[in-house]
Amino acid sequence: MKIFDTMQRRKVEFEPIEAGKVRMYVCGPTVYNLIHIGNARPMIVFDTFRRYLEYKGYEVNYVSNFTDVDDKIIKAANDEGVEPSMISERYIAECKRDMSDLNIKPATVHPQATQEIPGMIAMIEKLIENGHAYVASDGTVYFDVASDPDYGKLSHKNMDEMMSGLRELKVSGEENKKSPSDFVLWKPKKEGEPYWESPWCKGRPGWHIECSEMSQKYLGETIDIHAGGEDLIFPHHENEIAQSEGASGKTFCNYWMHNGFLNINNKKMSKSEGNFFTVRDITSQYDPMVLRLFILSAQYRTPLNFSRELMEQAKASYERILNCTDKLTGLLEHAQGDSLSTEEQEAKKQVEGFIRDFEEAMEDDNNTANASTAVYEIVRVANASTNEHSSKAYVAYLLDVIHKLCDGVLGVRTERKTEALDQEIEALIQERQAARKARDFARADEIRDKLTEMGIILEDTREGVKWKRA
Ligand code: AMP
Ligand code: ZN
């Protein structure tokens, strides 16, 4: 299997440290708001990659953090007049709901920065001991970039480039550092900020040390794969390497994977620019699986421009998949025969060819664009080669293939959700009718509000209550 490694700038053959096992770390979101669909891109593409590794039989130890202490969280907390932990806990819960809607498997561990402070302090102590960090007069601890001859090996930036990009930082409150490229490992608290005791001052960790420590704690000193969006290459991942290797003296990570941006009008979607859609905005209009298919429709390293047109295409593709599995599930109920007809054997060969295409695409640096195309081809053959005379063995084979590749690897559910949902809606409507009969109007209104929240519009007609989706 080939992976494009950002450090080597080419596709290389993947070889895990330990046979049959993969240790993988994916940088997670800073939790101060609902996640946007740009944040969902790394979650979806690396979840799909993980699923493919599992399909190949690897045991994947997958770690993805939540950054739950940060300036933006503190600002959001101050704006609302609540504790920062209220903000981060709320948005971790919301993020987990989005992840579940998008069928993103929970990580093996989702560490949170605020729960890992002692480990970070120990790592910073180690860096000071090894001559890679120094304490400034105000108690700030900096990483000493000049102490690391390898600094820049991931981003391939030279010192001059880095300096020109970083000069401004020196002006903005970090005057005590020896060089503009030095970065913060620990910083003193400011009024009204959360803080922890440390050997240097009451304060909190810098952002980069968080991932170095959590990666080492949960995956060991050397890991197989580290991933995230390409904006993290510099400085975040460059700094993680400097810290982790400075502390352990060992290679931090063997393969670096970075996804391209999700753009709107060819500009990066980002909260600070204000040009974003939250996952919630989109999943209130489309099935979350349509968003998943849209994200997977491009190879993960290429930029992907969000558009309604592409979403509509993904929606149509998803409908085709669902129509196919509906048809096959229906046929399976009455189909008989446990051997394949000659035509079915021929069609099965075609399907096997597309399974190979699927696997080749995934083996070629997680090319989910070509892998999805292979699934659409399988769906096309499945539709064309089945009818009420199909053998049970053939129909069951097709369903199994689609479940393994589409549900299993692409993470795109092929079961229609709406039926269960319809039942749930009907049950609520009946409960509302019963409440009205019992003249419990408060309860009846409560149920109506709940239905409205679910995007259901009720109409009281002479023939009874009718409902439709908004
Ligand atoms: P953040 O919360 O900004 O630290 O981002 C969490 C993850 O989402 C990181 O891996 C970012 O690189 C990634 N990310 C943020 N915006 C985008 C975008 N527009 N397209 C793709 N990935 C993004
Ligand atoms: Zn990180």
Side-chain angles (χ1 to χ4, degrees):
M1 185 174 63
K2 293 240 182 322
I3 293 179
F4 184 95
D5 173 33
T6 307
M7 191 178 294
Q8 299 180 62
R9 291 168 147 169
R10 61 189 175 94
K11 283 186 195 168
V12 288
E13 191 61 33
F14 175 66
E15 272 178 54
I17 299 163
E18 206 179 325
K21 294 191 175 168
V22 178
R23 304 175 206 170
M24 180 164 179
Y25 189 100
V26 181
C27 289
T30 306
V31 278
Y32 66 102
N33 210 328
L34 291 175
I35 59 163
H36 62 67
I37 58 177
N39 301 132
R41 188 170 191 197
M43 292 179 181
I44 293 172
V45 299
F46 298 121
D47 175 64
T48 305
F49 188 62
R50 169 205 187 163
R51 285 165 175 271
Y52 183 67
L53 290 168
E54 288 172 348
Y55 168 89
K56 277 169 74 83
Y58 285 108
E59 190 186 304
V60 184
N61 192 348
Y62 190 97
V63 177
S64 191
N65 64 303
F66 287 115
T67 297
D68 64 347
V69 56
D70 166 270
D71 289 345
K72 293 183 214 113
I73 299 172
I74 296 168
K75 181 177 181 307
N78 289 342
D79 289 351
E80 276 192 35
V82 295
E83 288 297 311
S85 60
M86 277 269 294
I87 299 287
S88 55
E89 289 305 320
R90 183 197 304 158
Y91 290 112
I92 286 172
E94 297 288 6
C95 179
K96 286 187 173 168
R97 192 183 130 192
D98 287 333
M99 287 173 63
S100 153
D101 286 348
L102 291 167
N103 207 19
I104 294 160
K105 288 176 85 165
T108 318
V109 197
H110 280 288
Q112 288 172 230
T114 55
Q115 310 301 311
E116 309 285 347
I117 306 286
M120 295 183 212
I121 291 177
M123 191 176 247
I124 298 170
E125 282 183 312
K126 184 92 193 155
L127 285 169
I128 297 174
E129 195 185 304
N130 291 355
H132 288 300
Y134 59 92
V135 190
S137 55
D138 63 349
T140 308
V141 187
Y142 291 105
F143 187 92
D144 184 357
V145 168
S147 74
D148 178 6
D150 284 345
Y151 192 78
K153 68 178 172 182
L154 178 70
S155 52
H156 306 281
K157 285 185 193 289
N158 63 38
M159 259 317 181
D160 290 344
E161 263 181 282
M162 281 185 290
M163 293 301 217
S164 64
L166 291 163
R167 205 147 286 149
E168 276 172 33
L169 280 186
K170 181 141 182 163
V171 198
S172 60
E174 293 187 357
E175 313 62 16
N176 285 322
K177 55 188 184 181
K178 291 198 230 162
S179 155
S181 56
D182 293 352
F183 57 91
V184 170
L185 300 171
W186 186 267
K187 58 181 154 195
K189 79 178 181 90
K190 290 197 200 116
E191 197 52 38
E193 288 187 357
Y195 67 89
W196 288 264
E197 297 290 340
S198 83
W200 317 290
C201 61
K202 290 183 168 61
R204 59 186 167 102
W207 169 37
H208 317 299
I209 196 76
E210 173 187 318
C211 289
S212 279
E213 199 281 323
M214 295 191 275
S215 176
Q216 186 205 70
K217 174 166 172 187
Y218 293 101
L219 298 170
E221 286 174 333
T222 304
I223 70 171
D224 292 299
I225 300 168
H226 196 117
E230 67 183 15
D231 53 334
L232 301 187
I233 298 173
F234 184 84
H236 188 51
H237 288 163
E238 194 69 67
N239 291 354
E240 279 188 42
I241 296 173
Q243 297 165 150
S244 297
E245 300 192 348
S248 75
K250 299 193 179 120
T251 300
F252 173 40
C253 168
N254 290 337
Y255 303 90
W256 288 90
M257 295 175 83
H258 293 99
N259 64 271
F261 291 142
L262 183 69
N263 294 331
I264 288 193
N265 298 326
N266 299 310
K267 265 185 79 183
K268 182 194 173 194
M269 185 176 289
S270 86
K271 278 182 197 145
S272 49
E273 293 287 328
N275 62 342
F276 65 92
F277 291 111
T278 62
V279 168
R280 220 50 75 75
D281 290 334
I282 301 302
T283 55
S284 66
Q285 298 165 39
Y286 292 94
D287 189 298
M289 294 301 101
V290 173
L291 178 57
R292 190 159 175 132
L293 266 185
F294 161 70
I295 299 272
L296 296 179
S297 70
Q299 205 271 355
Y300 74 97
R301 287 189 294 117
T302 57
L304 174 59
N305 210 30
F306 179 83
S307 75
R308 293 286 158 185
E309 199 186 330
L310 289 176
M311 283 299 287
E312 289 301 320
Q313 273 177 27
K315 185 177 169 184
S317 304
Y318 186 50
E319 261 316 301
R320 272 203 304 280
I321 297 174
L322 290 184
N323 287 339
C324 176
T325 49
D326 280 353
K327 176 186 176 190
L328 296 176
T329 314
L331 288 177
L332 193 66
E333 264 181 51
H334 305 290
Q336 287 185 346
D338 46 20
S339 61
L340 273 57
S341 69
T342 321
E343 294 83 46
E344 287 174 347
Q345 282 173 14
E346 280 305 309
K348 187 178 173 199
K349 273 192 203 132
Q350 282 187 48
V351 172
E352 283 164 352
F354 291 123
I355 297 174
R356 276 195 298 278
D357 289 352
F358 179 94
E359 290 173 353
E360 271 169 26
M362 293 302 293
E363 296 279 319
D364 181 18
D365 192 28
N366 193 30
N367 192 332
T368 56
N370 291 352
S372 322
T373 305
V375 167
Y376 300 145
E377 290 295 334
I378 292 171
V379 164
R380 183 180 57 74
V381 174
N383 277 330
S385 61
T386 50
N387 56 39
E388 60 275 24
H389 306 297
S390 297
S391 71
K392 194 175 191 107
Y394 181 56
V395 175
Y397 164 77
L398 290 172
L399 271 173
D400 183 54
V401 169
I402 294 172
H403 283 152
K404 282 202 178 107
L405 304 189
C406 195
D407 299 66
V409 180
L410 297 184
V412 173
R413 296 187 193 100
T414 60
E415 215 166 277
R416 276 195 200 271
K417 257 193 347 199
T418 46
E419 276 159 34
L421 206 61
D422 285 0
Q423 280 170 11
E424 200 184 321
I425 293 161
E426 306 280 353
L428 281 169
I429 291 174
Q430 276 176 21
E431 197 189 331
R432 175 169 168 267
Q433 295 295 82
R436 287 171 81 181
K437 250 196 192 144
R439 307 194 71 74
D440 182 355
F441 296 113
R443 176 69 188 141
D445 285 348
E446 208 176 277
I447 296 170
R448 173 180 274 257
D449 289 347
K450 184 167 177 194
L451 285 162
T452 309
E453 238 173 67
M454 291 163 74
I456 302 302
I457 299 171
L458 294 185
E459 263 180 282
D460 292 308
T461 71
R462 241 178 267 166
E463 295 86 50
V465 181
K466 293 211 170 127
W467 64 270
K468 61 177 184 198
R469 291 196 164 78

